[in-house]
Amino acid sequence: MYDQVTLGLNVDPFILSALKEDITSEDVSTNSVMPNPTPGVVDLICKEDGIICGLQVFERVFTLLDPSTRAEFYVKDGDHVENKQLVGKIYGDIRVLLCGERTALNYLQRMSGIATYPSQVAALLEGTGIKLLDTRKTTPNNRIFEKYSVRVGGGNNHRYNLSDGVLLKDNHAPSAESDDPVSAVHNGKHDPVPEFVIHALAFIHIEKAGFPKKFITVILGFQIFIQVITVLV
């Protein structure tokens, strides 16, 4: 769930951009058959089992089009839902609901799909001490939605962007000015760093730098949307 400040400043612009992509001037199909405001209600029904996520964004699509639109949900983000389950109703001008339905469903379906996968992986990892993290390999301009979905599904967010922490990978070493990039960061302008992450291929640099292991997270390194990591202690 996004707070109102985050919603207004960081979420709304992306939703509005998505709506503008879908409605360049008007919904000619809806307006040709329904030229006048018509109050109505639509049902939100699941088409498969999974973890629901993105209800606030789903509702926001419609309220940005018409503030008088009202949503009624029977579940919350993070709940397990089943095929054919009624999860909510949307009340408002049918023309508005038809204009916004595709954009709203695109967000809800994608966010729910992302939340469902880490929930399955987190269940497999339960009791192992392994922490499930995401990466920056997100869809452009959808990071705020996809990172949130990972959390809802039981995963954890790693770096949101390049400014959040140091992450050295094998491709940093050959292009670094120093022969020992780990020591360079350790002793550089960003010292002390709150979190220091090194790809598993760079273990040699950890030992060479003598960096305190309690500050280092090592990525086990398989390239999928969710990565599994463990912390050296």
Side-chain angles (χ1 to χ4, degrees):
M1 183 73 105
Y2 303 105
D3 63 75
Q4 290 303 306
V5 173
T6 300
L7 190 67
L9 291 178
N10 299 315
V11 175
D12 284 356
F14 292 121
I15 297 176
L16 288 170
S17 178
L19 285 168
K20 290 174 183 178
E21 178 183 57
D22 206 36
I23 311 171
T24 53
S25 59
E26 63 172 316
D27 179 353
V28 293
S29 300
T30 297
N31 290 345
S32 64
V33 298
M34 197 177 299
N36 300 308
T38 304
V41 57
V42 297
D43 293 340
L44 180 59
I45 302 173
C46 288
K47 298 180 70 174
E48 60 182 284
D49 297 356
I51 301 298
I52 195 75
C53 181
L55 293 170
Q56 184 186 29
V57 176
F58 179 86
E59 178 181 8
R60 190 68 165 180
V61 170
F62 298 111
T63 56
L64 285 173
L65 290 171
D66 182 357
S68 67
T69 305
R70 180 173 61 88
E72 182 179 90
F73 297 120
Y74 310 127
V75 294
K76 63 183 184 302
D77 282 358
D79 284 352
H80 182 270
V81 292
E82 298 180 350
N83 184 28
K84 298 182 181 180
Q85 180 178 344
L86 176 65
V87 299
K89 293 178 179 286
I90 309 294
Y91 301 86
D93 183 352
I94 290 294
R95 299 179 308 164
V96 171
L97 304 184
L98 290 173
C99 284
E101 66 164 339
R102 185 67 270 157
T103 299
L105 286 171
N106 284 349
Y107 278 119
L108 188 66
Q109 289 173 320
R110 181 162 183 80
M111 293 175 72
S112 296
I114 292 173
T116 297
Y117 181 66
S119 73
Q120 296 168 347
V121 178
L124 293 174
L125 296 175
E126 189 173 354
T128 65
I130 297 175
K131 189 177 182 181
L132 192 64
L133 293 186
D134 60 15
T135 72
R136 288 172 35 251
K137 298 170 186 174
T138 53
T139 309
N141 289 332
N142 275 273
R143 184 168 296 174
I144 194 167
F145 306 110
E146 295 178 358
K147 289 275 191 179
Y148 170 75
S149 302
V150 169
R151 297 197 306 272
V152 168
N156 298 271
N157 293 155
H158 191 223
R159 295 189 304 172
Y160 187 83
N161 55 41
L162 290 171
S163 302
D164 282 349
V166 176
L167 192 157
L168 292 185
K169 298 181 287 186
D170 55 306
N171 56 344
H172 284 98
S175 55
E177 293 182 6
S178 169
D179 291 334
D180 185 5
V182 173
S183 292
V185 174
H186 185 201
N187 300 316
K189 66 177 181 178
H190 297 296
D191 182 36
V193 292
E195 181 181 33
F196 198 116
V197 181
I198 299 179
H199 195 277
L201 296 179
F203 269 125
I204 183 76
H205 297 300
I206 301 176
E207 296 180 356
K208 186 175 181 180
F211 199 86
K213 290 185 177 180
K214 65 179 179 178
F215 294 118
I216 300 175
T217 298
V218 179
I219 298 176
L220 299 182
F222 48 94
Q223 300 299 314
I224 56 175
F225 180 72
I226 305 297
Q227 291 186 330
V228 178
I229 67 157
T230 186
V231 178
L232 297 178
V233 292

